[in-house]
Amino acid sequence: MTAPYPPICDVREVNHRKYSEVAMRLTEFLRKGSSAAHAERLVNELRGRRSDGANNSSVKERFEHLAQRWRTETDGYSMVRKKIQHHDYQEIIGELGYQAVPLILRELKLRGGHWYHALSLLTAENPIPPELAGDVPAMRECWLQWGRSRGLVDSE
Amino acid sequence: MKECILELENDHPKLREVWYERTSPCTDEYNCLAFAAGDLCHWWEPGCLPPYYWPLIQHDLTVPSFIEAFKTIGFSVVPDATPQPGMEIVAVFVDENDQVSHAAIQEEDGLWKSKCGDRFDIRHSLDDLNFGKLKLFLTRPRIIRQLPDYDESEECPYHLELQKRDAGPEWRKAEF
């Protein structure tokens, strides 16, 4: 039987692919609204690769370093599309992967920031309803609520 | 000097030599396009995933598309920035790919106001910022903008967080 969707990428190749290529395919995938099961399979496979990496403490330190530099260097950009092209943002997605999600949510809670693209790519989800597009406090709250419901954000 | 001001002047070195004035706290809740449109409750930007606010279905930042978007809120193209009573003028900047990169709004006294990314709003002269090439002007009847209160003596919440973070392991230990 033919698969209903073409494979996003061969996961065996992920280690050798650049972030941008994988991210582009994920972006296209999300845009097309492909099946949730397919997205989950892909994300789980990527999670598996990433969890082989550094321990939690070094992931946290690495994330903080990258996130702080990303903020400093892109705070002045007027367009999110330019902010998310920054190498540190890409490294958080491509190298830290799903392990960064709780850290991103915490950063979002404490300091805000345009983390929505990274969260969508890493989780293959978008809890922001179309009517809240661009309402940044509401977008933030949608993701924090998403995180709380999964135990990834402190509830207080 | 406050960290966010240093960062702004690093991005726009000409501001170190000329007069400009900060007029709002730092916020990521609206950007320069929203500010020019008079909407301080949304970040306006086409073509992002997940989407931000954009008034058209067509999502791109080419100049014709941008003009169409701003037409929906009453703007039309004018040849120059000569102040007209009761009218406001928006200056539109483009990047090297001719994509809209910034918009500034003219005050009644002829000076300009810009929202600088996730930072704050400033009053400035039109050629002081390093946001790209000036491309065109748009105009519409002036509206009243409800700007957030700004107390110059207060530190930005975001930069206070950074200071705490940089304070060392004691804070880090307590926080995590």
Side-chain angles (χ1 to χ4, degrees):
Chain A
M1 188 175 151
T2 313
Y5 302 102
I8 296 170
C9 60
D10 182 339
V11 174
R12 288 167 300 184
E13 295 175 33
V14 166
N15 283 327
H16 308 292
R17 282 176 185 271
K18 288 182 178 173
Y19 155 80
S20 55
E21 196 180 336
V22 176
M24 235 167 52
R25 299 184 74 173
L26 271 167
T27 302
E28 184 61 20
F29 174 83
L30 287 167
R31 203 184 292 280
K32 284 179 180 166
S34 303
S35 82
H38 192 203
E40 194 177 346
R41 183 166 54 82
L42 175 80
V43 170
N44 283 337
E45 284 166 344
L46 293 173
R47 278 177 195 170
R49 175 181 74 83
R50 286 158 186 155
S51 63
D52 295 339
N55 62 39
N56 287 345
S57 167
S58 64
V59 167
K60 192 161 68 182
E61 282 171 17
R62 185 75 187 138
F63 173 79
E64 284 177 7
H65 171 71
L66 294 170
Q68 183 169 345
R69 192 168 59 185
W70 172 71
R71 271 199 186 269
T72 303
E73 294 183 6
T74 67
D75 251 10
Y77 293 174
S78 298
M79 303 295 166
V80 171
R81 64 172 63 186
K82 202 172 163 198
K83 292 174 187 286
I84 65 178
Q85 286 169 7
H86 190 274
H87 50 84
D88 290 334
Y89 196 92
Q90 294 187 2
E91 188 170 336
I92 287 168
I93 298 171
E95 295 304 318
L96 301 187
Y98 189 81
Q99 295 171 99
V101 170
L103 301 168
I104 293 174
L105 290 169
R106 191 174 181 285
E107 180 79 6
L108 192 62
K109 184 179 173 187
L110 287 177
R111 301 173 191 92
H114 295 276
W115 292 105
Y116 314 108
H117 179 77
L119 287 167
S120 287
L121 284 182
L122 290 170
T123 64
E125 294 201 34
N126 177 21
I128 303 166
E131 64 272 18
L132 295 182
D135 181 343
V136 174
M139 291 167 74
R140 181 161 50 230
E141 190 48 40
C142 288
W143 270 108
L144 292 178
Q145 189 55 44
W146 179 94
R148 283 185 203 107
S149 69
R150 285 157 182 77
L152 299 172
V153 180
D154 296 338
S155 50
E156 82 268 13
Chain B
M1 187 183 283
K2 290 178 182 174
E3 193 170 355
C4 48
I5 293 186
L6 284 172
E7 289 169 4
L8 176 78
E9 294 182 0
N10 284 339
D11 289 347
H12 307 279
K14 201 171 172 188
L15 291 178
R16 294 195 191 108
E17 299 158 16
V18 297
W19 176 89
Y20 75 96
E21 179 186 24
R22 177 178 172 174
T23 55
S24 82
C26 288
T27 175
D28 64 3
E29 295 181 7
Y30 61 93
N31 63 346
C32 61
L33 304 187
F35 185 63
D39 177 3
L40 303 190
C41 298
H42 293 90
W43 184 283
W44 284 43
E45 185 171 346
C48 289
L49 186 82
Y52 287 78
Y53 180 78
W54 195 243
L56 298 180
I57 293 172
Q58 185 188 352
H59 269 226
D60 70 63
L61 266 178
T62 58
V63 172
S65 178
F66 181 84
I67 292 171
E68 285 305 309
F70 267 55
K71 273 184 183 173
T72 66
I73 49 170
F75 280 99
S76 56
V77 177
V78 279
D80 57 50
T82 308
Q84 301 288 338
M87 303 298 283
E88 61 184 18
I89 294 177
V90 166
V92 181
F93 294 76
V94 294
D95 62 17
E96 62 279 7
N97 299 315
D98 220 28
Q99 300 276 306
V100 172
S101 58
H102 184 66
I105 185 94
Q106 193 183 43
E107 299 269 271
E108 284 173 282
D109 60 7
L111 279 174
W112 296 80
K113 274 185 102 167
S114 283
K115 171 69 170 26
C116 300
D118 288 347
R119 297 192 186 118
F120 40 80
D121 313 335
I122 61 170
R123 266 162 61 82
H124 60 95
S125 300
L126 196 54
D127 57 354
D128 289 345
L129 297 181
N130 191 22
F131 271 121
K133 191 174 80 173
L134 179 60
K135 184 73 174 181
L136 78 153
F137 297 104
L138 302 169
T139 190
R140 76 172 172 186
R142 185 169 293 282
I143 62 164
I144 295 170
R145 287 172 167 72
Q146 295 295 336
L147 297 174
D149 293 333
Y150 171 56
D151 179 349
E152 203 174 331
S153 63
E154 286 179 13
E155 190 56 272
C156 302
Y158 163 59
H159 287 97
L160 277 178
E161 287 294 338
L162 281 189
Q163 283 167 20
K164 281 190 205 167
R165 179 187 283 186
D166 293 340
E170 283 310 309
W171 177 79
R172 202 183 284 268
K173 201 164 125 189
E175 190 69 15
F176 291 101

